[in-house]
Amino acid sequence: MRRLGNTRRTGRTRRRVTAAAACAAALAALTAVPAQASGPEDRPPHWELKDTGTPDVRFRGLAAVSRNTAWAAGTGGTVLRTTDGGTTWRNVSPPGAAELQFRDVEAFDAHRAVVLAIGEGEASRVYRTDDGGATWTESFRNTDPKAFYDCLAFFDRRHGLAMSDPVDGKFRILSTGDGGRTWKVLPNAGMPAAQEGEAGFAASGQCLVTSGPKDAWLATGGAAHARVLHSADRGHTWTVTDTALPAGDPARGVFALAFRDRTHGLAVGGDFRPDQPSPRAAARTADGGRSWRPAAAPPPAYRSGVAWLPHSRTAALAVGPTGTDLTADGGRTWRTVDTGSYDTVDCTPDRGCWAAGEKGRVARLEH
């Protein structure tokens, strides 16, 4: 029995070493630079803070367009844009929006973007710009006092959705077919009934996500079960699945989702209260969200944002107020790689990964 125990410990040690090596390799591959540019002074991959000049703003909305271009949206009606990798930031906030809280931004390029303001009643609004934020058009203002919009997401440059907490017992879905210029409320006949107290979390702009031309997923919490809803027809009909993430309290649930294709997805969350533990704070699916498997080694605390690393089938980052975690095995195990505070994360095909959060923090992953 003793030899068996030693063998198990040795196996666990080897798995930890292997997982650590895989995480390091994933980060190194993401931020790889040409061999001739390397040298002994090179630092390992890390988040490099970019000075946004907005220390009083909390950025929960983030849209990475490339390594050079990104949009950030946050409190005080603030929208920032950079086109030089974060060296400089332009304040492109919509006029008259200082009382609003922007929690989500979806950008198509350096010029066109859509932002969502959250809140009860008319505080929930959508704005669109076609000229880099020089001018904005308010394309939607909620007039139903029972609605509270949390997140928005696009399938392509024209088709997108926004989601509200339940109204009359069901989540409400907005739809656009013209890039966010106009919106309509979809019929709720194909939406499952909400649980008592169930809602979305406007924590990172990732409670509603898409993959491909028609698939969308919606994350929930605040009720007896933390659930994920899936639509395969751009929001007209939905199915729902329970997850093992913390639930049973208004502060617990699934806070963010990320899908690298229409079948492989990640869910992160927990309990956002800093004095409460968040066991089982991550899960994964390989069947489009029909079932979710808890991570064998989840992040050590609540996480509010998650993103797949570009050109990887197994590596992803999760962020939260207490740090950043990396998985190199498709969400089975996670390892903390940074202890800085971030609320949301987004990556681009040209190997640009950005994170944003409190106190004006925006960072880019650097080597």
Side-chain angles (χ1 to χ4, degrees):
M1 293 297 292
R2 184 173 299 167
R3 286 195 298 272
L4 179 60
N6 288 339
T7 299
R8 287 174 175 168
R9 285 195 293 272
T10 301
R12 286 195 295 267
T13 300
R14 286 174 179 166
R15 286 193 292 271
R16 292 191 191 104
V17 172
T18 301
C23 286
L27 276 176
L30 171 67
T31 56
V33 294
Q36 62 269 26
S38 62
E41 72 280 4
D42 287 351
R43 296 178 59 189
H46 61 282
W47 288 121
E48 183 175 289
L49 283 169
K50 308 295 182 178
D51 184 9
T52 64
T54 56
D56 297 327
V57 177
R58 186 163 196 164
F59 292 111
R60 294 185 183 270
L62 175 67
V65 176
S66 68
R67 278 189 59 79
N68 290 324
T69 300
W71 299 68
T75 55
T78 306
V79 180
L80 302 185
R81 184 192 63 146
T82 182
T83 56
D84 57 11
T87 301
T88 61
W89 294 85
R90 181 183 175 193
N91 189 325
V92 295
S93 306
E99 300 301 316
L100 300 178
Q101 289 199 45
F102 289 126
R103 295 291 183 93
D104 201 353
V105 55
E106 301 292 324
F108 308 115
D109 49 42
H111 306 288
R112 290 171 289 183
V114 179
V115 295
L116 171 71
I118 62 101
E120 296 178 351
E122 294 192 3
S124 286
R125 306 178 193 180
V126 178
Y127 294 81
R128 179 189 163 99
T129 182
D130 289 299
D131 54 15
T135 61
W136 293 86
T137 300
E138 182 184 304
S139 59
F140 172 77
R141 181 179 296 205
N142 174 49
T143 57
D144 189 335
K146 295 179 289 185
F148 185 117
Y149 285 84
D150 300 293
C151 292
L152 59 83
F154 278 81
F155 302 95
D156 51 43
R157 290 174 179 263
R158 295 175 54 203
H159 301 93
L161 304 175
M163 58 82 69
S164 163
D165 289 341
V167 176
D168 298 328
K170 293 185 177 182
F171 284 93
R172 173 170 289 180
I173 302 296
L174 276 183
S175 176
T176 180
D178 56 13
R181 294 177 178 86
T182 61
W183 298 83
K184 64 179 180 180
V185 176
L186 293 182
N188 69 1
M191 176 66 71
Q195 304 171 93
E196 183 177 354
E198 191 172 25
F201 290 107
S204 61
Q206 296 177 322
C207 60
L208 177 68
V209 300
T210 63
S211 180
K214 294 184 178 181
D215 286 278
W217 294 265
L218 187 162
T220 82
H225 302 282
R227 308 197 297 174
V228 174
L229 284 72
H230 171 233
S231 172
D233 57 8
R234 290 184 182 163
H236 291 276
T237 61
W238 298 79
T239 56
V240 63
T241 304
D242 291 350
T243 74
L245 270 70
D249 187 276
R252 299 174 186 163
V254 181
F255 281 72
L257 299 168
F259 277 78
R260 65 173 174 82
D261 53 39
R262 69 187 309 267
T263 57
H264 296 88
L266 301 170
V268 299
D271 190 319
F272 70 75
R273 295 170 294 191
D275 61 338
Q276 296 295 315
S278 288
R280 310 183 314 279
R284 58 191 171 90
T285 180
D287 57 14
R290 289 190 295 272
S291 63
W292 292 87
R293 299 181 64 182
Y302 154 72
R303 295 294 181 252
S304 55
V306 62
W308 290 93
L309 297 188
H311 312 296
S312 174
R313 297 176 61 84
T314 58
L317 293 168
V319 300
T322 62
T324 298
D325 302 288
L326 174 71
T327 179
D329 54 15
R332 293 174 179 84
T333 61
W334 295 83
R335 174 174 172 257
T336 302
V337 294
D338 185 271
T339 57
S341 175
Y342 299 102
D343 293 313
T344 187
V345 59
D346 195 17
C347 296
T348 63
D350 67 345
R351 301 184 186 276
C353 278
W354 296 78
E358 62 181 343
K359 299 180 181 179
R361 291 168 59 89
V362 178
R364 191 178 70 176
L365 199 64
E366 305 285 358
H367 190 282

